[in-house]
Amino acid sequence: MAKTNFQYEKRQKELEKKKKAEEKARRKLEAKNNPKPADGSEGDEPEADESDADPAAEDDAPAQPQ
């Protein structure tokens, strides 16, 4: 029966920890360089105002008889 190579397993765990730490540091640096707004909304997409709505869409409604 073959012996388990504990040094190999330990090295793989160390490499995995190092990779996770680097990924976490990268995400932390990205968050620092690109802070999100405090209100919790994403800053990438502009919000549409009601004044920007298509005025023709309001005319599509049937007229109310008076």
Side-chain angles (χ1 to χ4, degrees):
M1 185 175 215
K3 283 176 42 175
T4 305
N5 189 352
F6 291 109
Q7 288 180 340
Y8 175 79
E9 291 178 5
K10 183 178 179 182
R11 178 67 179 147
Q12 294 304 309
K13 287 181 182 180
E14 290 172 355
L15 289 173
E16 188 175 337
K17 282 183 181 180
K18 185 177 179 182
K19 183 179 175 183
K20 285 184 179 181
E22 289 173 352
E23 178 67 20
K24 183 177 180 181
R26 185 189 62 79
R27 282 188 277 126
K28 189 174 183 180
L29 184 62
E30 271 185 22
K32 184 178 180 181
N33 290 337
N34 302 324
K36 293 184 180 179
D39 63 353
S41 64
E42 295 292 328
D44 297 341
E45 298 179 17
E47 294 182 16
D49 294 333
E50 290 181 20
S51 61
D52 293 340
D54 186 15
E58 296 173 4
D59 295 336
D60 291 342
Q64 296 285 336
Q66 293 182 354

